[in-house]
Amino acid sequence: MKVNVEKTVPVSFKEAVDAYAAARQGGKASGIDHESWKDFEVNLEKNLYTVWNRLASGSYFPRPVRLKMIPKPDGKQRKLGIPTIRDRVAQQVLTARMESRCESIFSPNSYGYRPGRNAHQAIEAVIQNTRKYDWVIDLDISKFFDEIDHELLMKAVETVISEKWMLMYIRRILEAPEEDEQGILHSREGRGTPQGGVISPLLANLFLHYALDKWLEINYPQIRFTRYADDVVIHCRTLAEAQNLMQAVKERMTAVKLRVNEVKSKIVYCKDSNRRGEHEYISFKFLGFQFQPRTVRSKFGKLFQSFSPAISGDNQSKIRETIRTTVYWHSTCQSPELIAELLNSKLRGWIGYFAEVGRTEFRKIMCYLQEKLAGWIKRKYKLKGNILCRHRLKELMNCNPNLFYHWEKGYV
C-alpha cells in the first residue's frame, strides 16, 4: 500500500536543515556509531536528506543511546545518554515543532532550557523571593531524568501534540535502549529520558509543568517558586507552611511516580539582620551558587547581615583545581602568553557565569590565580622574596592589561 507521505508526515527538508544548524550548536560527543559532526558534514546534504526522508516516510527509528557515567561530587555517578548525530537532528525537528506550543503554557516561574530565559534570571528571582519570604524548601527530586514515567509523560505530550506521527516518534525516542561501554543494551522499562538528548529538556519541562508547576499554582497560589529544569526552590512565609507544603510535595511526587530525595531536600531559614531566629539549616545551593547569611557593607559604610548568593564552595574548589592542573606551574620555559592561552577560555566561562553575583567571593578565586602567576614568575626569574615577584607581576599587567581575561575585566 502506497503511503501519502505529505499528508501523514508533513516534514519539510528545510526543517531538517534548520534542525541541523540548531543541533550543531550543542554537544560534540558521538553516539554508538562514533560518527562526529565532522564526519556527518563530509556528505552533509546527502546525510540530511536521509534523516529527512526517514522522518517524512514514517520509517525513522532512533538508534540506542550511548551510555556514559559521569562522576558526581558526592562520589556517585549520573547517567548521560548520548544519541547519534543523526538522531540529534531528528530530535531537533520534533523539538522545534513542540517548543512554541509548550512556551504558550509554561509557567513564568520556570527558567531552564527555554528561549529567552537563563540561569541568571532564575538566580535573580530567588534573590527577590528570599527578601520577601522567610523560609525556603530546597527541593531535590531523586534521579529525575532516569525516573520519568513514559505513560505519564506521553499524557503531558498529548496536551500540546495531536499529530500521530509526532507522538509515534517521541515514543520511539523514549523507548530507545541504552548501550553501555561493553556494548550491552539496557531496556528503559517504561522510564526515563536520556540526559544528553536534544528533546529531553523540553520533555522534562513539560512533565514538571503538570507534575509540579501547575499543581503549585492551583493549590498553593500564596507561595512563590523558582524552577530551573529539576532544580526547584519554593518560598514560604512561615515554618509551619513550609513543613506542610514539604509533605504535600512528597505526596505529589509519589503520585506522579517520582521521589523526593529525603537527604538533600530541606527547609531553610533565610537568616539576616532582620530575621534573627534559629534553625538547623540557614543555607542552600541553587545553580552553582550558595545562598546564606553574609556580612556586607551598606552604601553608608555600615556592616549588616544579608541573605545572599555567591559561588558555592565546591565550585570554588573545582575552579582552583582546574587552575592548578591546567598549567604546569613549575615549568619556567613557557611564556605568559602560553599560560593565558591555556586559561582564557575557562576564565571567560567562569567570569561570565559566576562573577556578577557575589563578586567578593569570586575575587578570592582570582586572587588564587594571581598567587599562582606570582609564584611562577618567582621561579622563572629566580626572584627572592614575594615583594619582588608581585612587583614583576604588576609590571606585566601594566604592559599587557588584556593578556589574561580576568585582567581585562578588572577581577584582580
Side-chain angles (χ1 to χ4, degrees):
M1 177 180 176
K2 187 176 180 180
V3 179
N4 186 333
V5 173
E6 291 185 357
K7 185 176 180 180
T8 57
V9 187
V11 177
S12 69
F13 182 68
K14 183 179 183 303
E15 285 181 272
V17 174
D18 292 343
Y20 152 74
R24 186 69 173 85
Q25 305 303 312
K28 297 179 180 180
S30 58
I32 62 166
D33 59 359
H34 304 294
E35 182 180 46
S36 66
W37 283 112
K38 187 176 180 180
D39 298 330
F40 184 79
E41 289 161 353
V42 171
N43 291 300
L44 180 59
E45 186 172 352
K46 179 183 176 182
N47 290 330
L48 285 177
Y49 181 86
T50 300
V51 174
W52 166 76
N53 183 262
R54 289 176 181 170
L55 283 171
S57 64
S59 61
Y60 167 66
F61 286 88
R63 300 282 301 276
V65 298
R66 180 167 69 88
L67 184 60
K68 185 176 182 180
M69 305 306 293
I70 307 296
K72 296 171 68 175
D74 59 5
K76 297 180 180 179
Q77 293 182 318
R78 69 178 178 90
K79 295 196 298 184
L80 182 65
I82 306 171
T84 65
I85 296 296
R86 294 160 194 263
D87 287 337
R88 272 179 249 182
V89 174
Q91 287 188 29
Q92 183 60 45
V93 170
L94 297 168
T95 301
R97 286 280 188 121
M98 287 182 63
E99 197 167 62
S100 61
R101 305 183 199 184
C102 292
E103 279 298 308
S104 67
I105 65 168
F106 280 165
S107 168
N109 300 303
S110 168
Y111 292 87
Y113 306 108
R114 295 180 58 188
R117 290 177 164 250
N118 58 49
H120 287 142
Q121 292 172 334
I123 293 293
E124 181 59 30
V126 174
I127 291 172
Q128 296 303 320
N129 286 332
T130 53
R131 290 173 180 171
K132 300 173 185 176
Y133 294 78
D134 293 353
W135 298 89
V136 157
I137 297 176
D138 179 16
L139 183 65
D140 186 278
I141 302 173
S142 181
K143 297 181 179 179
F144 170 65
F145 280 89
D146 298 334
E147 298 290 336
I148 296 177
D149 181 79
H150 287 178
E151 295 308 317
L152 290 178
L153 176 54
M154 289 306 299
K155 285 183 180 180
V157 172
E158 287 168 6
T159 64
V160 293
I161 298 298
S162 59
E163 295 90 335
K164 291 183 179 180
W165 67 270
M166 290 184 68
L167 296 172
M168 174 183 69
Y169 285 150
I170 290 170
R171 186 174 285 279
R172 287 179 185 175
I173 290 168
L174 290 174
E175 293 175 350
E178 299 168 322
E179 183 177 300
D180 64 23
E181 293 178 354
Q182 288 72 42
I184 300 172
L185 292 177
H186 301 269
S187 170
R188 293 194 176 281
E189 300 180 346
R191 295 181 304 170
T193 178
Q195 283 186 274
V198 172
I199 201 170
S200 293
L202 181 59
L203 294 177
N205 266 340
L206 186 58
F207 187 94
L208 281 177
H209 170 73
Y210 289 108
L212 186 63
D213 300 358
K214 199 73 175 175
W215 177 79
L216 283 172
E217 290 169 352
I218 292 173
N219 294 284
Y220 300 91
Q222 77 280 11
I223 63 94
R224 294 291 179 269
F225 70 94
T226 303
R227 182 172 67 80
Y228 191 97
D230 60 330
D231 289 326
V232 188
V233 173
I234 305 174
H235 305 269
C236 300
R237 295 192 183 280
T238 67
L239 175 58
E241 182 180 55
Q243 291 170 333
N244 292 334
L245 183 52
M246 175 72 94
Q247 183 58 39
V249 169
K250 289 178 182 178
E251 293 171 2
R252 175 59 178 174
M253 291 298 98
T254 300
V256 297
K257 301 184 179 181
L258 293 173
R259 293 175 295 130
V260 170
N261 188 319
E262 299 279 357
V263 175
K264 293 184 177 180
S265 298
K266 59 184 181 292
I267 295 173
V268 177
Y269 181 51
C270 304
K271 188 174 183 177
D272 60 18
S273 290
N274 296 318
R275 296 175 286 198
R276 302 184 181 185
E278 297 297 328
H279 186 68
E280 181 181 5
Y281 299 109
I282 56 171
S283 71
F284 66 92
K285 295 176 184 177
F286 185 62
L287 302 181
F289 293 88
Q290 182 154 328
F291 285 75
Q292 67 179 53
R294 301 179 189 277
T295 301
V296 297
R297 189 180 300 275
S298 72
K299 60 182 178 181
F300 303 108
K302 184 179 179 180
L303 296 177
F304 67 99
Q305 285 280 302
S306 169
F307 190 84
S308 56
I311 180 173
S312 65
D314 52 353
N315 277 309
Q316 291 185 47
S317 297
K318 286 178 185 177
I319 292 176
R320 285 191 176 95
E321 179 66 10
T322 301
I323 290 171
R324 187 183 69 81
T325 57
T326 299
V327 177
Y328 183 47
W329 293 101
H330 287 278
S331 171
T332 56
C333 298
Q334 59 193 335
S335 65
E337 288 76 15
L338 176 59
I339 297 175
E341 185 179 343
L342 292 171
L343 289 174
N344 273 343
S345 62
K346 294 178 173 61
L347 286 167
R348 287 188 182 92
W350 296 330
I351 290 172
Y353 188 74
F354 289 113
E356 292 304 309
V357 180
R359 291 191 179 193
T360 300
E361 285 298 312
F362 185 78
R363 283 183 185 276
K364 292 178 182 178
I365 306 171
M366 297 299 98
C367 287
Y368 172 77
L369 174 55
Q370 289 294 96
E371 290 172 6
K372 299 297 286 185
L373 287 168
W376 175 79
I377 286 175
K378 185 177 182 179
R379 286 185 291 272
K380 184 177 179 66
Y381 298 104
K382 297 181 174 60
L383 301 175
K384 294 183 179 180
N386 293 328
I387 295 176
L388 282 176
C389 63
R390 286 173 183 154
H391 179 71
R392 181 66 70 91
L393 177 59
K394 190 172 182 179
E395 286 181 344
L396 179 62
M397 291 170 59
N398 290 335
C399 292
N400 196 345
N402 296 329
L403 178 60
F404 287 88
Y405 189 70
H406 70 298
W407 295 357
E408 180 184 340
K409 292 299 180 181
Y411 288 97
V412 288

